[in-house]
Amino acid sequence: MPASKSKFRLPPLSEEHLNPAQRALLDSMRAGPRGKGVSLGGPFGCYMHAPEIGEAIQQLAAFCRFKTRLPKRLSEFAILAIGRIWKAQFEFHVHAREAEEAGVKPQTIRDLKAGRVPAKAPKDERALYDFISELHQYRRVSNRTYARVQKLLGDGGVIELLAIMGSYTLTCMVLDTFQVPLPEGATLPFKEPVVG
């Protein structure tokens, strides 16, 4: 199904009309690991409407995406799992490609997209899946699940996994709240939930 035409809930911005705080945020994002290609699409355009908090959000997100100790494959897997929980169309669309390039198997991506347990995923991805699922379902993690992830990532790695989860949960909330559209011609990964 083609991308939904849900109306973006924020007034669109153009680079020519950014105020000084917005320009500083855009320059900061472009000076970081995302590079000069940062545009006002996706969550970045939303952050421009509150540039002071947008700067803090983008700094955390940049660390979680580019500097974490987790291998890129596991980081992208976690991002997809969070995107699926939130049914964040834009997030899943962007990071499905990133995850596959990082080594997440296409079948695993299809399973996550369909809401299935990725039964054929490697043990490390399954450990993260169980951790993420338990934490979201029960607001707690069992000793067994915690021990699997702690053995895999170490104490600092567990904290960084939680930071990835928190950062991308915030991103998903922003994307879903403001109905950020997918790129033209893109296909929605999920059936859009009906609200009220």
Side-chain angles (χ1 to χ4, degrees):
M1 117 176 81
S4 168
K5 295 295 181 188
S6 294
K7 184 165 173 40
F8 183 43
R9 289 177 165 161
L10 290 172
L13 299 171
S14 64
E15 286 193 42
E16 306 79 53
H17 297 100
L18 297 179
N19 66 37
Q22 292 168 329
R23 170 56 61 191
L25 174 56
L26 184 59
D27 291 345
S28 177
M29 288 189 287
R30 287 180 174 166
R34 295 180 188 92
K36 303 243 183 266
V38 172
S39 71
L40 297 180
F44 305 135
C46 298
Y47 301 154
M48 291 293 155
H49 292 274
E52 294 80 7
I53 192 68
E55 175 62 20
I57 293 168
Q58 76 89 11
Q59 288 286 344
L60 175 62
F63 178 88
C64 290
R65 184 168 179 197
F66 299 106
K67 296 181 181 177
T68 179
R69 70 184 75 191
L70 275 69
K72 183 77 169 162
R73 175 178 57 84
L74 294 182
S75 175
E76 288 296 333
F77 176 88
I79 293 167
L80 279 188
I82 294 297
R84 173 61 176 105
I85 287 168
W86 282 91
K87 293 189 177 176
Q89 310 285 11
F90 189 95
E91 196 67 31
F92 202 93
H93 170 76
V94 169
H95 283 278
R97 180 181 64 247
E98 295 280 336
E100 189 169 355
E101 288 173 4
V104 177
K105 294 176 183 171
Q107 181 60 50
T108 298
I109 296 169
R110 286 192 294 274
D111 286 342
L112 288 173
K113 180 178 171 183
R116 296 186 297 260
V117 174
K120 295 186 179 180
K123 286 182 182 180
D124 55 0
E125 291 176 8
R126 281 298 307 275
L128 265 63
Y129 180 83
D130 292 345
F131 184 97
I132 293 166
S133 297
E134 280 183 23
L135 190 54
H136 280 83
Q137 183 174 357
Y138 303 110
R139 307 302 185 255
R140 303 289 185 277
V141 179
S142 68
N143 288 336
R144 180 179 179 275
T145 298
Y146 174 81
R148 287 167 58 209
V149 173
Q150 193 280 336
K151 182 178 180 184
L152 178 68
L153 302 177
D155 296 332
V158 174
I159 292 171
E160 289 187 13
L161 171 62
L162 291 166
I164 291 167
M165 292 167 59
S167 175
Y168 280 91
T169 293
L170 175 55
T171 300
C172 290
M173 290 192 300
V174 167
L175 293 166
D176 288 353
T177 296
F178 296 111
Q179 300 179 353
V180 175
L182 271 66
E184 192 64 40
T187 301
L188 288 173
F190 314 112
K191 181 178 179 184
E192 188 64 28
V194 177
V195 181

